[in-house]
Amino acid sequence: MTITLITGANKGIGFETAAQLLESGHVVYIGARDAERGEKAAAALGARFVQLDVTDDASVGNALAAIDAAEGRLDVLVNNAGVLADGVADGPTALRAFDTNAVGIVRVTEAALPLLRRSSNPTVVNVSSSAGSFWAVTNPDRPESGLPLALYSASKAAATMLTVQYAKSQPGIKFNAVEPGTTATDMTAAFGIGRTPSESARVVVRFATLGADGPTGTFQDENGDVPW
């Protein structure tokens, strides 16, 4: 069986990714900051729950220790938790955006590495965004060029770079960043755009279920490599 942890999985793309991986036979741990919402989501899916706030070192450590105690390893990590950080661009908002969208990846990944190394096919998927692609945000034909999301875009550019660097430093583990597509979630409700989370979760699931010979160090959407 494949042991999978998904952060920020009590709703949206994370929740739908959990549902689809459960259908494929994974044992899925839903990581969520809010215990009540996380437990409710896990119960609805038949998944397992760990309280996990990606901005809190102790919370992350406790979550991975719980998985270690129960399973002894981790096969797949999906770093999905994120914040939009729109509105006023000030210091505290910038720190929150980067703490969640970029530093959170480092916290969870570093805590997970000892468990991932015990897997026969360790895989990490970082849910990034083409809003962090220089190519996309400067291309007038792309919707990202019109989105005023400086902090979100910058933090997602960092998330993609972290993916590439982890792939280089951890050659035994596959690391890929994924652009799931414009999705209608609570986070994007103000824009009134996007497809269903279930549709967008498919590309995350594809990279969470790569074979041992799958790619690493890439940034892709459902159509292939994303220039960035």
Side-chain angles (χ1 to χ4, degrees):
M1 61 182 175
T2 302
I3 312 300
T4 299
L5 169 63
I6 307 171
T7 68
N10 62 290
K11 61 182 179 179
I13 294 172
F15 181 86
E16 294 297 336
T17 299
Q20 292 175 31
L21 287 175
L22 282 163
E23 287 179 7
S24 70
H26 286 222
V27 174
V28 176
Y29 281 82
I30 283 181
R33 182 176 51 185
D34 185 293
E36 183 178 350
R37 292 176 183 173
E39 288 172 350
K40 184 177 180 181
L45 291 175
R48 303 175 188 185
F49 168 71
V50 283
Q51 195 280 330
L52 199 164
D53 179 350
V54 301
T55 68
D56 184 274
D57 289 305
S59 171
V60 171
N62 290 338
L64 272 298
I67 295 173
D68 189 6
E71 312 292 348
R73 74 176 195 280
L74 183 65
D75 299 299
V76 178
L77 168 62
V78 179
N79 284 309
N80 168 74
V83 293
L84 193 61
D86 56 344
V88 177
D90 55 17
T93 307
L95 287 170
R96 178 170 173 259
F98 277 84
D99 201 17
T100 304
N101 297 348
V103 182
I105 289 175
V106 176
R107 280 194 189 92
V108 179
T109 301
E110 290 296 324
L113 282 175
L115 282 74
L116 287 163
R117 291 185 184 120
R118 297 179 204 147
S119 172
S120 61
N121 184 28
T123 303
V124 179
V125 183
N126 293 329
V127 179
S128 190
S129 173
S130 53
S133 157
F134 286 77
W135 165 78
V137 300
T138 58
N139 184 340
D141 296 328
R142 297 278 303 195
E144 297 90 342
S145 66
L147 293 177
L149 296 171
L151 300 178
Y152 178 78
S153 292
S155 62
K156 286 299 188 178
T160 304
M161 180 58 75
L162 283 168
T163 305
V164 174
Q165 295 297 334
Y166 267 119
K168 290 168 66 177
S169 68
Q170 304 292 330
I173 303 172
K174 291 184 293 296
F175 283 83
N176 291 286
V178 171
E179 155 59 64
T182 305
T183 312
T185 64
D186 289 352
M187 197 165 76
T188 60
F191 298 103
I193 56 175
R195 61 189 182 183
T196 67
S198 179
E199 290 175 279
S200 293
R202 289 175 193 155
V203 67
V204 183
V205 169
R206 191 199 327 156
F207 279 87
T209 54
L210 290 174
D213 59 348
T216 188
T218 71
F219 178 32
Q220 298 193 45
D221 63 12
E222 61 195 357
N223 299 312
D225 289 335
V226 177
W228 61 286

